[in-house]
């Protein structure tokens, strides 16, 4: 069956053909940087783009890297808009 689970918490997620290993919303909400500061992610504009920021200061962060439950992850703009976070698999 085409069931899909979050690679961090194993919760069932909506199957996605393009992103077979995306991290669920609850885990994405726990994303932090190397030092444990909370991170937020979003699109730069309605036409897309990727932007990350520190939730405590709203300062932008120039990186796609984040950590969820100690696992290094990569956040990026999703194909159809929005944000997708996956476990970091090395530089593209
Ligand atoms: Zn999860």
């Amino acid at each position: 069956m085409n069931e899909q689970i979050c690679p961090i918490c194993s919760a069932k997620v909506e199957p996605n053909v393009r992103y077979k290993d995306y991290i669920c919303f609850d885990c994405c909400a726990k994303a932090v940087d190397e030092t444990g500061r909370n991170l937020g992610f979003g699109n730069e504009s309605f036409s897309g783009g990727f932007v990350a920021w520190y939730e405590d200061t709203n300062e932008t962060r120039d990186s796609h890297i984040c950590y969820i439950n100690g696992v290094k992850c990569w956040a990026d703009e999703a194909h159809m808009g929005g944000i997708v976070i996956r476990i970091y698999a090395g530089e593209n």
Side-chain angles (χ1 to χ4, degrees), residues 4-80:
Q4 198 173 312
I5 58 164
C6 167
I8 300 285
C9 71
S10 300
K12 255 189 207 176
V13 294
E14 203 64 40
N16 186 303
V17 181
R18 183 175 289 266
Y19 304 113
K20 289 187 178 299
D21 55 352
Y22 76 91
I23 291 165
C24 78
F25 182 81
D26 285 350
C27 289
C28 290
K30 296 181 209 158
V32 295
D33 79 345
E34 300 78 8
T35 62
R37 290 173 75 188
N38 284 338
L39 295 172
F41 304 102
N43 293 121
E44 246 172 337
S45 68
F46 289 113
S47 55
F50 172 84
V51 61
W53 63 88
Y54 291 103
E55 290 195 324
D56 49 0
T57 59
N58 286 327
E59 177 194 348
T60 55
R61 165 175 160 89
D62 186 23
S63 173
H64 289 257
I65 298 289
C66 63
Y67 294 84
I68 299 172
N69 286 2
V71 180
K72 192 175 187 180
C73 299
W74 182 264
D76 209 353
E77 179 187 0
H79 180 63
M80 296 300 285

